[in-house]
């Protein structure tokens, strides 16, 4: 399996399970990456090298005023019509972006417009996840909401997959909560971290196995992946 997130700067001791799970899903969908691939909300282009293993080209699109050190080819507000021609993309990816948009339907409509016939969109969003990148954190989406928005944009054969069961979600929430407890003088912070590091590691190692006990991942998943096609 190719480590799609190996260069991701957010991969930390308390959250590496998120990126391990993402790698599994991104590798699962490799048959869909082809031709001209557009990454909507590309940020620092963390996945460019991964996608270029399969696609012919990679075009990053993102907002120039992002809090990230954006490295886009095309700078655009993703809440507005994109300065991209119609019917040019063979693949569109949009990872951890839709929750940060005040006008998510516009982004999905524009993704559909720039895609060629038979093109595929791969979308990823969080579900059970804390507020982040505030104040630009607007929505959380259920599988039903995702299907509704995608269908409204014109997509068909919309498939939604939960990225985890209850236990992965719970351990990650525990890790982020306890991370906030590492405060105080340097020695005290070091002691707290020394205690928490093995708990973070063990929880993340156990979680995928414990998730097998969860018979309805979609109910309390950490997030979802969406595969949607344009006729």
């Amino acid at each position: 399996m190719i480590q799609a997130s190996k260069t991701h700067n957010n991969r930390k001791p308390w959250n590496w399970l998120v990126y391990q799970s993402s790698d599994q899903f991104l590798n699962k969908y490799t048959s869909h990456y082809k031709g001209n691939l557009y990454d909507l909300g590309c940020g620092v282009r963390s996945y460019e090298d991964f996608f270029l293993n399969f696609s012919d080209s990679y075009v990053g699109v993102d907002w120039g005023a992002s809090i990230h050190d954006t490295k886009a080819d095309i700078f655009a507000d993703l809440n507005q019509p994109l300065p991209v021609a119609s019917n040019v993309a063979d693949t569109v990816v949009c990872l951890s972006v839709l929750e940060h948009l005040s006008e998510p339907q516009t982004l999905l409509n524009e993704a559909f417009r720039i895609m060629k016939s038979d093109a595929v969109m791969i979308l990823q969003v969080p579900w059970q996840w804390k507020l982040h990148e505030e104040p630009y954190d607007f929505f959380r989406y259920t599988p039903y909401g995702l299907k509704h928005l995608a269908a409204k944009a014109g997509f068909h054969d919309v498939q939604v997959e939960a990225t985890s069961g209850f236990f992965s979600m719970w351990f990650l929430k525990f890790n982020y909560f306890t991370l906030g407890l590492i405060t105080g003088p340097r020695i005290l912070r070091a002691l707290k971290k020394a205690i928490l590091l093995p708990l973070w590691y063990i929880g993340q190692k156990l979680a995928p196995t414990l998730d097998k006990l969860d018979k309805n991942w979609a109910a309390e998943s950490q997030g979802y992946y969406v595969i949607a096609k344009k006729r």
Side-chain angles (χ1 to χ4, degrees):
M1 182 177 72
I2 300 174
Q3 295 297 309
S5 63
K6 65 182 179 180
T7 62
H8 209 295
N9 293 330
N10 291 332
R11 193 180 181 117
K12 305 295 184 183
W14 53 87
N15 70 2
W16 53 260
L17 180 60
V18 173
Y19 300 100
Q20 177 176 291
S21 173
S22 181
D23 285 348
Q24 292 172 348
F25 278 89
L26 289 173
N27 274 281
K28 179 179 180 179
Y29 303 140
T30 53
S31 63
H32 296 303
Y33 313 141
K34 60 184 179 180
N36 300 320
L37 184 148
Y38 282 70
D39 187 349
L40 304 184
C42 65
V44 295
R45 309 168 74 97
S46 299
Y47 297 100
E48 178 179 12
D49 290 343
F50 169 74
F51 288 127
L52 284 174
N53 286 301
F54 313 99
S55 65
D56 297 327
S57 66
Y58 172 97
V59 180
V61 184
D62 211 338
W63 184 36
S66 170
I67 65 171
H68 301 290
D69 183 19
T70 305
K71 299 178 180 178
D73 298 296
I74 300 172
F75 287 94
D77 183 347
L78 300 179
N79 295 293
Q80 302 293 329
L82 300 176
V84 178
S86 300
N87 305 310
V88 294
D90 297 286
T91 311
V92 166
V93 296
C94 184
L95 308 177
S96 296
V97 172
L98 205 66
E99 71 273 18
H100 297 297
L101 301 182
S102 59
E103 303 296 335
Q105 189 67 60
T106 298
L107 184 280
L108 292 174
N109 293 346
E110 284 296 284
F112 186 85
R113 178 185 65 80
I114 71 171
M115 290 166 61
K116 300 176 183 178
S117 296
D118 298 321
V120 175
M121 177 182 69
I122 295 91
L123 174 75
Q124 180 269 325
V125 295
W127 170 232
Q128 297 283 347
W129 201 255
K130 65 181 290 185
L131 287 171
H132 57 288
E133 299 186 17
E134 299 162 78
Y136 300 106
D137 190 354
F138 295 100
F139 300 104
R140 294 292 180 270
Y141 302 93
T142 69
Y144 308 103
L146 290 165
K147 288 183 178 181
H148 171 75
L149 293 175
K152 190 175 179 181
F155 291 99
H156 80 288
D157 192 17
V158 180
Q159 302 174 38
V160 181
E161 291 193 79
T163 57
S164 78
F166 168 84
F167 292 94
S168 289
M169 178 278 296
W170 188 88
F171 278 115
L172 285 165
K173 280 182 171 288
F174 171 83
N175 290 3
Y176 273 97
F177 178 81
T178 53
L179 176 66
L181 301 178
I182 302 179
T183 59
R186 180 182 295 181
I187 294 177
L188 183 58
R189 294 200 306 269
L191 177 61
K192 290 179 180 179
K193 191 170 183 178
I195 294 171
L196 288 170
L197 275 171
L199 296 178
W200 292 342
Y201 179 79
I202 292 169
Q204 290 180 94
K205 290 295 287 185
L206 286 175
T209 299
L210 293 174
D211 277 348
K212 296 175 183 178
L213 299 173
D214 185 355
K215 304 305 180 184
N216 183 17
W217 280 24
E220 297 192 84
S221 178
Q222 172 267 319
Y224 303 105
Y225 266 90
V226 179
I227 303 296
K229 299 178 181 179
K230 179 176 180 178
R231 294 185 191 276

